[in-house]
């Protein structure tokens, strides 16, 4: 006696890249994979080969469709030309943000930052240097408020407080 196994309905089918289980995929619902080929004799000597062939047929059928249930295709990476790299550096020094340049050149903000670092362009909003932190501490201990220290250095009062706390300087009571 041969026991038949329904490979499709074992709640284990997944199209590559998809996050669904339990439901038949769009490939099966569209009728691209016949129900007949999904039944495999469990104790057949060729059962494993048939299962492998069936899996590869499902993958091919899923890749042939342009449905979102069969996984999203990755966007191809493209290289920035030397002229684009030069324009990114010019735009940043002219005052554009990394985010604006990323949108303009259709790339990730981390790519823009990496390009600027390779070109030797100093990025804005860098952490305070040791000298700046020492100056913050000295100004605060001289009696200036957090807001006055921040205004003096061109940064926000909460940023001053963050650096003071990190260096163990106690906050004065109001």
């Amino acid at each position: 006696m041969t026991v038949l196994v329904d490979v499709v309905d074992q709640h284990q089918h997944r199209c590559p890249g998809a996050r669904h289980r339990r439901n038949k995929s769009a490939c099966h619902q569209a009728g691209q994979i016949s129900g007949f080929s999904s039944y495999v004799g469990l104790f057949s000597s060729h059962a494993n080969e048939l299962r492998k062939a069936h899996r590869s047929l499902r993958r091919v059928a899923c890749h042939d469709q342009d449905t979102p249930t069969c996984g999203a295709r990755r966007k191809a990476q493209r290289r920035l030309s030397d002229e684009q790299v030069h324009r990114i550096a010019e735009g940043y020094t002219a005052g554009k943000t990394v985010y604006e340049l990323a949108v303009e050149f259709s790339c990730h903000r981390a790519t823009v930052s990496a390009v600027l670092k390779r070109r030797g362009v100093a990025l804005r909003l860098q952490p305070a240097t040791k000298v700046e932190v020492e100056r913050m501490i000295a100004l605060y201990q001289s009696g200036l408020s957090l807001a006055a220290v921040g205004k003096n250095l061109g940064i926000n009062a909460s940023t001053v407080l963050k650096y003071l706390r990190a260096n163990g300087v106690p906050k004065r009571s109001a």
Side-chain angles (χ1 to χ4, degrees):
M1 181 171 123
T2 302
V3 178
L4 297 178
V5 176
D6 184 356
V7 176
V8 175
D9 289 331
Q10 294 238 337
H11 305 302
Q12 294 176 354
H13 168 74
R14 287 190 239 179
C15 292
R19 294 276 182 223
H20 65 279
R21 284 185 152 189
R22 298 195 185 214
N23 296 334
K24 289 184 180 181
S25 71
C27 305
H28 296 289
Q29 290 170 355
Q32 291 184 351
I33 298 177
S34 70
F36 179 76
S37 67
S38 66
Y39 288 96
V40 177
L42 181 62
F43 299 111
S44 166
S45 60
H46 302 289
N48 287 335
E49 289 83 5
L50 288 171
R51 284 186 194 101
K52 287 178 188 175
H54 190 259
R55 265 186 245 122
S56 68
L57 283 173
R58 284 193 313 233
R59 284 189 203 110
V60 169
C62 283
H63 287 296
D64 288 345
Q65 288 187 2
D66 290 333
T67 60
T69 58
C70 288
R73 296 205 187 266
R74 274 187 78 183
K75 185 177 177 182
Q77 289 184 334
R78 61 179 184 81
R79 302 267 180 203
L80 293 171
S81 68
D82 291 337
E83 190 262 330
Q84 288 175 318
V85 169
H86 181 70
R87 285 185 24 221
I88 287 173
E90 284 180 345
Y92 189 77
T93 54
K96 288 186 178 180
T97 66
V98 170
Y99 292 92
E100 291 170 341
L101 292 167
V103 169
E104 183 180 335
F105 290 95
S106 301
C107 61
H108 196 269
R109 61 161 181 81
T111 304
V112 174
S113 295
V115 164
L116 293 170
K117 286 177 185 176
R118 281 196 303 268
R119 296 281 300 219
V121 177
L123 297 177
R124 296 185 291 269
L125 301 176
Q126 294 293 311
T129 63
K130 288 182 181 181
V131 173
E132 291 171 330
V133 172
E134 289 170 2
R135 181 148 184 227
M136 281 181 217
I137 294 170
L139 288 171
Y140 184 73
Q141 289 176 340
S142 72
L144 291 178
S145 67
L146 292 173
V149 172
K151 190 172 186 179
N152 191 328
L153 297 173
I155 56 177
N156 195 317
S158 62
T159 305
V160 173
L161 179 60
K162 178 184 86 169
Y163 282 108
L164 292 176
R165 283 182 178 160
N167 286 286
V169 177
K171 184 180 174 192
R172 292 191 303 260
S173 58

